[in-house]
Amino acid sequence: IPIIGVWALVYLLNAWAWTLIIKSYKHKISFKSIFSISLSGFAINYITPLVNLGGEPYKIFALKEHLGLNSSVSSVVLYSMLHFLSSFVFWLIAILLAIFSIPSTINLQIILGLFFLFTISGIVFFFSRHKKGVFNSILSLVQKIPFTNKLSNKLQLKDSSLKAIDSQIVELYTMKKKIFYTSLTLEVIARIVASLEFIFILRAIGIYVSPVEAIFISAFSSLALNLFFFIPMGLGVREGSLFLIMSGLNITSAIGVYIGLINRVREFFWILIGLLLIQFRSSAIKVNEISYMEIE
Protein backbone atom coordinates (compact mmCIF):
# COMPACT_ATOMS: atom_id res chain seq x y z
CA ILE A 1 0.00 0.00 0.00
CA PRO A 2 2.77 2.55 0.78
CA ILE A 3 4.50 1.71 -2.51
CA ILE A 4 1.28 2.16 -4.50
CA GLY A 5 0.64 5.40 -2.55
CA VAL A 6 4.10 6.75 -3.36
CA TRP A 7 3.45 6.35 -7.08
CA ALA A 8 -0.03 7.86 -6.81
CA LEU A 9 1.69 11.00 -5.50
CA VAL A 10 4.32 10.78 -8.26
CA TYR A 11 1.67 10.66 -10.98
CA LEU A 12 -0.22 13.55 -9.37
CA LEU A 13 2.95 15.68 -9.42
CA ASN A 14 3.57 14.71 -13.07
CA ALA A 15 0.03 15.75 -13.99
CA TRP A 16 0.39 19.01 -12.05
CA ALA A 17 3.57 19.89 -13.98
CA TRP A 18 1.83 19.15 -17.30
CA THR A 19 -1.25 21.14 -16.21
CA LEU A 20 0.88 24.25 -15.67
CA ILE A 21 2.30 23.92 -19.19
CA ILE A 22 -1.12 23.43 -20.79
CA LYS A 23 -2.80 26.27 -18.88
CA SER A 24 0.08 28.66 -19.65
CA TYR A 25 -1.41 28.82 -23.17
CA LYS A 26 -4.85 29.81 -21.81
CA HIS A 27 -6.45 26.43 -22.50
CA LYS A 28 -9.20 25.26 -20.17
CA ILE A 29 -9.13 21.59 -19.28
CA SER A 30 -9.76 19.99 -15.91
CA PHE A 31 -6.94 18.58 -13.79
CA LYS A 32 -8.93 15.34 -13.56
CA SER A 33 -8.79 14.93 -17.36
CA ILE A 34 -5.08 15.77 -17.52
CA PHE A 35 -4.31 13.31 -14.71
CA SER A 36 -6.28 10.56 -16.47
CA ILE A 37 -4.56 11.19 -19.84
CA SER A 38 -1.13 11.48 -18.20
CA LEU A 39 -1.50 8.22 -16.24
CA SER A 40 -2.77 6.38 -19.32
CA GLY A 41 0.14 7.75 -21.34
CA PHE A 42 2.66 6.43 -18.80
CA ALA A 43 0.88 3.04 -18.84
CA ILE A 44 1.23 2.81 -22.64
CA ASN A 45 4.89 3.88 -22.39
CA TYR A 46 5.57 0.99 -20.00
CA ILE A 47 4.22 -1.60 -22.44
CA THR A 48 5.62 -0.09 -25.65
CA PRO A 49 8.51 -2.20 -26.95
CA LEU A 50 11.90 -0.72 -27.92
CA VAL A 51 11.26 3.01 -27.27
CA ASN A 52 9.05 3.98 -24.31
CA LEU A 53 7.26 6.78 -26.14
CA GLY A 54 4.07 5.04 -27.27
CA GLY A 55 2.01 7.08 -24.82
CA GLU A 56 2.86 10.39 -26.48
CA PRO A 57 0.66 9.85 -29.60
CA TYR A 58 -2.18 8.82 -27.29
CA LYS A 59 -1.77 12.02 -25.26
CA ILE A 60 -1.89 14.12 -28.44
CA PHE A 61 -5.00 12.29 -29.66
CA ALA A 62 -6.75 12.62 -26.26
CA LEU A 63 -5.94 16.35 -25.96
CA LYS A 64 -6.76 17.26 -29.57
CA GLU A 65 -10.47 17.73 -28.87
CA HIS A 66 -9.65 20.22 -26.08
CA LEU A 67 -6.63 22.11 -27.44
CA GLY A 68 -6.44 21.55 -31.18
CA LEU A 69 -3.67 19.65 -32.94
CA ASN A 70 -0.79 22.17 -32.78
CA SER A 71 -1.27 22.99 -29.10
CA SER A 72 -1.68 19.29 -28.26
CA VAL A 73 1.57 18.41 -30.00
CA SER A 74 3.50 21.32 -28.47
CA SER A 75 2.23 20.63 -24.92
CA VAL A 76 3.14 16.93 -25.20
CA VAL A 77 6.56 17.69 -26.72
CA LEU A 78 7.19 20.37 -24.08
CA TYR A 79 6.24 18.08 -21.22
CA SER A 80 8.31 15.18 -22.63
CA MET A 81 11.35 17.46 -22.95
CA LEU A 82 10.83 18.72 -19.40
CA HIS A 83 10.37 15.15 -18.16
CA PHE A 84 13.67 14.10 -19.75
CA LEU A 85 15.42 17.21 -18.43
CA SER A 86 14.20 16.41 -14.90
CA SER A 87 15.86 12.98 -15.24
CA PHE A 88 19.25 14.59 -15.83
CA VAL A 89 18.74 17.05 -12.96
CA PHE A 90 17.74 14.17 -10.67
CA TRP A 91 20.79 12.12 -11.73
CA LEU A 92 23.02 15.13 -11.07
CA ILE A 93 21.55 15.53 -7.56
CA ALA A 94 22.06 11.81 -6.89
CA ILE A 95 25.67 11.90 -8.11
CA LEU A 96 26.51 14.91 -5.91
CA LEU A 97 24.84 13.28 -2.89
CA ALA A 98 26.73 10.04 -3.55
CA ILE A 99 30.08 11.80 -3.87
CA PHE A 100 29.70 13.63 -0.56
CA SER A 101 27.63 11.16 1.47
CA ILE A 102 28.35 7.56 0.44
CA PRO A 103 31.79 5.97 1.01
CA SER A 104 33.18 4.94 -2.38
CA THR A 105 36.20 3.31 -3.99
CA ILE A 106 38.40 4.94 -6.65
CA ASN A 107 36.63 2.92 -9.37
CA LEU A 108 33.22 4.12 -8.19
CA GLN A 109 34.48 7.72 -8.08
CA ILE A 110 35.66 7.42 -11.69
CA ILE A 111 32.25 6.05 -12.74
CA LEU A 112 30.48 8.85 -10.86
CA GLY A 113 32.77 11.38 -12.56
CA LEU A 114 31.85 10.04 -16.01
CA PHE A 115 28.15 10.06 -15.14
CA PHE A 116 28.57 13.64 -13.87
CA LEU A 117 29.92 14.75 -17.28
CA PHE A 118 27.13 12.83 -19.03
CA THR A 119 24.37 14.48 -16.97
CA ILE A 120 25.84 17.98 -17.37
CA SER A 121 25.96 17.43 -21.14
CA GLY A 122 22.33 16.29 -21.12
CA ILE A 123 21.19 19.31 -19.10
CA VAL A 124 23.01 21.71 -21.44
CA PHE A 125 21.49 19.97 -24.50
CA PHE A 126 17.89 20.13 -23.23
CA PHE A 127 18.20 23.75 -22.11
CA SER A 128 19.51 24.65 -25.58
CA ARG A 129 16.52 22.89 -27.21
CA HIS A 130 14.11 24.80 -24.97
CA LYS A 131 15.87 28.03 -25.95
CA LYS A 132 16.15 27.39 -29.72
CA GLY A 133 13.30 24.97 -30.45
CA VAL A 134 13.32 21.39 -31.70
CA PHE A 135 11.83 20.99 -35.17
CA ASN A 136 13.82 23.67 -36.99
CA SER A 137 17.02 21.95 -35.85
CA ILE A 138 15.69 18.55 -36.97
CA LEU A 139 14.68 19.96 -40.38
CA SER A 140 18.07 21.58 -40.97
CA LEU A 141 19.82 18.34 -39.91
CA VAL A 142 17.68 16.16 -42.22
CA GLN A 143 18.41 18.46 -45.16
CA LYS A 144 22.16 17.88 -44.69
CA ILE A 145 21.86 14.07 -44.71
CA PRO A 146 22.25 12.44 -48.16
CA PHE A 147 19.31 10.53 -49.71
CA THR A 148 16.69 12.13 -47.42
CA ASN A 149 15.07 14.40 -50.02
CA LYS A 150 11.66 12.73 -49.74
CA LEU A 151 11.59 13.06 -45.94
CA SER A 152 12.88 16.63 -46.15
CA ASN A 153 10.12 17.59 -48.61
CA LYS A 154 7.44 16.09 -46.33
CA LEU A 155 8.76 18.07 -43.38
CA GLN A 156 8.87 21.28 -45.43
CA LEU A 157 5.20 20.82 -46.36
CA LYS A 158 4.42 21.01 -42.63
CA ASP A 159 6.95 23.75 -41.99
CA SER A 160 4.42 26.32 -40.76
CA SER A 161 2.93 23.92 -38.20
CA LEU A 162 6.38 22.88 -36.97
CA LYS A 163 7.43 26.52 -36.60
CA ALA A 164 4.25 27.27 -34.61
CA ILE A 165 5.04 24.39 -32.23
CA ASP A 166 8.67 25.49 -31.96
CA SER A 167 7.61 29.04 -31.11
CA GLN A 168 5.48 27.74 -28.21
CA ILE A 169 8.42 25.69 -26.92
CA VAL A 170 10.73 28.73 -27.05
CA GLU A 171 8.04 31.00 -25.55
CA LEU A 172 7.65 28.84 -22.44
CA TYR A 173 11.37 29.02 -21.69
CA THR A 174 11.98 32.67 -22.61
CA MET A 175 8.70 34.39 -21.67
CA LYS A 176 7.19 32.13 -19.02
CA LYS A 177 10.22 31.12 -16.98
CA LYS A 178 8.29 30.91 -13.72
CA ILE A 179 6.00 28.24 -15.16
CA PHE A 180 8.97 26.46 -16.79
CA TYR A 181 10.98 26.22 -13.58
CA THR A 182 7.94 25.42 -11.42
CA SER A 183 7.04 22.51 -13.72
CA LEU A 184 10.67 21.34 -13.75
CA THR A 185 10.80 21.51 -9.93
CA LEU A 186 7.60 19.45 -9.64
CA GLU A 187 9.09 16.82 -11.97
CA VAL A 188 12.32 16.61 -9.93
CA ILE A 189 10.32 16.40 -6.68
CA ALA A 190 8.28 13.57 -8.25
CA ARG A 191 11.50 11.64 -8.91
CA ILE A 192 12.71 12.20 -5.35
CA VAL A 193 9.32 11.03 -4.00
CA ALA A 194 9.55 7.92 -6.24
CA SER A 195 12.83 6.97 -4.52
CA LEU A 196 10.91 6.47 -1.25
CA GLU A 197 9.63 3.26 -2.83
CA PHE A 198 13.01 1.64 -2.19
CA ILE A 199 12.90 2.54 1.52
CA PHE A 200 9.52 0.79 1.89
CA ILE A 201 10.56 -2.24 -0.20
CA LEU A 202 13.73 -2.84 1.81
CA ARG A 203 12.14 -2.06 5.18
CA ALA A 204 9.61 -4.87 4.51
CA ILE A 205 12.47 -7.38 4.84
CA GLY A 206 14.24 -5.64 7.72
CA ILE A 207 16.84 -3.68 5.71
CA TYR A 208 17.09 0.04 6.42
CA VAL A 209 18.55 2.52 3.94
CA SER A 210 18.82 6.29 4.25
CA PRO A 211 16.91 8.69 1.95
CA VAL A 212 20.23 9.53 0.25
CA GLU A 213 20.89 5.84 -0.46
CA ALA A 214 17.31 5.44 -1.74
CA ILE A 215 17.81 8.38 -4.13
CA PHE A 216 21.08 6.85 -5.32
CA ILE A 217 19.41 3.46 -5.93
CA SER A 218 16.54 5.10 -7.83
CA ALA A 219 18.86 7.29 -9.93
CA PHE A 220 21.24 4.44 -10.84
CA SER A 221 18.33 2.18 -11.80
CA SER A 222 16.57 4.82 -13.94
CA LEU A 223 19.87 5.77 -15.61
CA ALA A 224 20.46 2.13 -16.60
CA LEU A 225 16.89 1.85 -17.95
CA ASN A 226 17.37 4.97 -20.07
CA LEU A 227 20.77 3.85 -21.40
CA PHE A 228 19.25 0.51 -22.46
CA PHE A 229 15.91 1.99 -23.63
CA PHE A 230 15.85 -0.34 -26.67
CA ILE A 231 15.25 -3.44 -24.50
CA PRO A 232 11.46 -4.10 -24.28
CA MET A 233 10.13 -3.12 -20.84
CA GLY A 234 13.74 -3.00 -19.63
CA LEU A 235 13.63 -6.76 -19.05
CA GLY A 236 16.67 -7.70 -17.01
CA VAL A 237 18.10 -4.16 -17.06
CA ARG A 238 16.42 -2.99 -13.85
CA GLU A 239 17.20 -6.25 -12.06
CA GLY A 240 20.83 -6.20 -13.25
CA SER A 241 21.37 -2.56 -12.25
CA LEU A 242 19.83 -3.16 -8.81
CA PHE A 243 21.99 -6.28 -8.41
CA LEU A 244 25.09 -4.11 -8.98
CA ILE A 245 24.05 -1.16 -6.83
CA MET A 246 23.18 -3.39 -3.87
CA SER A 247 26.74 -4.72 -3.79
CA GLY A 248 28.02 -1.14 -3.96
CA LEU A 249 26.00 -0.32 -0.83
CA ASN A 250 27.25 -3.45 0.99
CA ILE A 251 23.84 -5.13 0.78
CA THR A 252 23.41 -8.69 -0.48
CA SER A 253 23.32 -8.41 -4.29
CA ALA A 254 20.43 -10.87 -4.66
CA ILE A 255 18.22 -8.35 -2.85
CA GLY A 256 18.37 -6.33 -6.08
CA VAL A 257 16.39 -9.04 -7.89
CA TYR A 258 13.76 -8.97 -5.12
CA ILE A 259 13.45 -5.17 -5.47
CA GLY A 260 13.12 -5.52 -9.24
CA LEU A 261 10.25 -7.99 -8.86
CA ILE A 262 8.38 -5.65 -6.49
CA ASN A 263 8.94 -2.81 -8.98
CA ARG A 264 7.34 -4.97 -11.69
CA VAL A 265 4.28 -5.70 -9.55
CA ARG A 266 3.85 -1.98 -8.89
CA GLU A 267 4.24 -1.22 -12.61
CA PHE A 268 1.64 -3.82 -13.61
CA PHE A 269 -0.81 -2.36 -11.08
CA TRP A 270 -0.53 1.16 -12.54
CA ILE A 271 -0.52 -0.16 -16.12
CA LEU A 272 -3.86 -1.82 -15.34
CA ILE A 273 -5.24 1.42 -13.87
CA GLY A 274 -4.00 3.44 -16.87
CA LEU A 275 -5.52 1.03 -19.43
CA LEU A 276 -8.84 0.97 -17.52
CA LEU A 277 -8.90 4.78 -17.63
CA ILE A 278 -8.46 4.62 -21.43
CA GLN A 279 -11.41 2.23 -21.62
CA PHE A 280 -13.60 4.45 -19.41
CA ARG A 281 -12.60 7.50 -21.45
CA SER A 282 -13.48 5.74 -24.72
CA SER A 283 -16.83 4.64 -23.29
CA ALA A 284 -17.60 8.19 -22.13
CA ILE A 285 -16.81 9.59 -25.59
CA LYS A 286 -19.12 7.02 -27.22
CA VAL A 287 -21.95 7.89 -24.80
CA ASN A 288 -21.50 11.60 -25.55
CA GLU A 289 -21.58 10.93 -29.31
CA ILE A 290 -24.78 8.87 -28.98
CA SER A 291 -26.42 11.60 -26.85
CA TYR A 292 -25.42 14.26 -29.40
CA MET A 293 -26.91 12.18 -32.27
CA GLU A 294 -30.16 11.76 -30.34
CA ILE A 295 -30.39 15.53 -29.82
CA GLU A 296 -29.78 16.10 -33.54
Side-chain angles (χ1 to χ4, degrees):
I1 291 172
I3 294 165
I4 296 298
V6 162
W7 277 87
L9 180 55
V10 169
Y11 290 129
L12 283 168
L13 289 167
N14 292 149
W16 187 5
W18 193 23
T19 300
L20 292 176
I21 292 171
I22 292 172
K23 294 196 173 179
S24 70
Y25 296 108
K26 312 299 181 186
H27 292 296
K28 291 184 179 179
I29 178 171
S30 69
F31 178 78
K32 181 181 176 181
S33 295
I34 294 172
F35 176 73
S36 173
I37 294 168
S38 175
L39 182 52
S40 297
F42 280 121
I44 296 172
N45 282 342
Y46 278 130
I47 59 177
T48 305
L50 299 182
V51 180
N52 296 332
L53 291 172
E56 273 42 58
Y58 167 77
K59 289 178 183 178
I60 293 169
F61 177 79
L63 280 177
K64 190 170 68 171
E65 60 181 290
H66 300 282
L67 313 183
L69 182 59
N70 283 357
S71 293
S72 297
V73 173
S74 63
S75 71
V76 171
V77 171
L78 264 169
Y79 176 72
S80 296
M81 289 172 64
L82 207 67
H83 190 67
F84 286 127
L85 176 58
S86 70
S87 294
F88 284 92
V89 174
F90 176 64
W91 295 335
L92 180 61
I93 291 170
I95 290 166
L96 294 175
L97 287 173
I99 289 171
F100 294 108
S101 303
I102 298 174
S104 59
T105 62
I106 293 175
N107 289 337
L108 184 57
Q109 288 175 354
I110 292 171
I111 293 170
L112 290 174
L114 292 172
F115 283 156
F116 177 80
L117 293 175
F118 172 72
T119 54
I120 290 293
S121 300
I123 290 169
V124 170
F125 171 77
F126 277 104
F127 268 109
S128 68
R129 292 307 92 205
H130 279 287
K131 189 175 181 180
K132 298 177 182 178
V134 179
F135 296 108
N136 281 333
S137 301
I138 293 173
L139 183 58
S140 62
L141 178 64
V142 169
Q143 289 172 340
K144 294 176 183 177
I145 300 173
F147 312 112
T148 58
N149 293 334
K150 192 175 287 186
L151 176 60
S152 179
N153 291 335
K154 285 183 179 180
L155 289 172
Q156 284 178 338
L157 288 173
K158 300 180 179 180
D159 190 43
S160 59
S161 297
L162 295 177
K163 283 183 177 178
I165 294 167
D166 255 355
S167 66
Q168 289 182 316
I169 291 170
V170 173
E171 182 185 349
L172 181 68
Y173 177 73
T174 57
M175 306 296 291
K176 302 172 182 177
K177 287 194 173 185
K178 184 178 179 181
I179 293 171
F180 175 86
Y181 283 108
T182 303
S183 298
L184 179 60
T185 301
L186 288 171
E187 282 291 309
V188 174
I189 291 171
R191 294 185 182 279
I192 293 171
V193 169
S195 66
L196 297 176
E197 172 185 37
F198 296 98
I199 294 177
F200 291 124
I201 291 172
L202 289 169
R203 187 162 292 187
I205 55 173
I207 297 174
Y208 295 84
V209 293
S210 68
V212 171
E213 289 173 325
I215 288 172
F216 187 58
I217 295 167
S218 179
F220 188 86
S221 174
S222 66
L223 178 58
L225 285 168
N226 279 275
L227 289 174
F228 294 94
F229 65 90
F230 49 85
I231 297 177
M233 293 188 73
L235 291 175
V237 176
R238 175 182 282 121
E239 289 76 11
S241 64
L242 290 168
F243 186 90
L244 290 173
I245 195 61
M246 288 299 106
S247 62
L249 295 174
N250 296 319
I251 299 172
T252 305
S253 297
I255 297 297
V257 179
Y258 154 75
I259 296 172
L261 290 172
I262 301 299
N263 287 158
R264 295 293 179 190
V265 173
R266 180 263 301 164
E267 277 184 4
F268 286 135
F269 174 85
W270 284 110
I271 287 170
L272 177 62
I273 298 298
L275 296 179
L276 285 173
L277 287 172
I278 292 173
Q279 185 60 40
F280 290 144
R281 185 176 178 80
S282 299
S283 300
I285 290 171
K286 286 178 183 177
V287 169
N288 289 336
E289 286 177 350
I290 292 168
S291 300
Y292 179 77
M293 290 171 67
E294 287 175 349
I295 292 169
E296 286 289 304

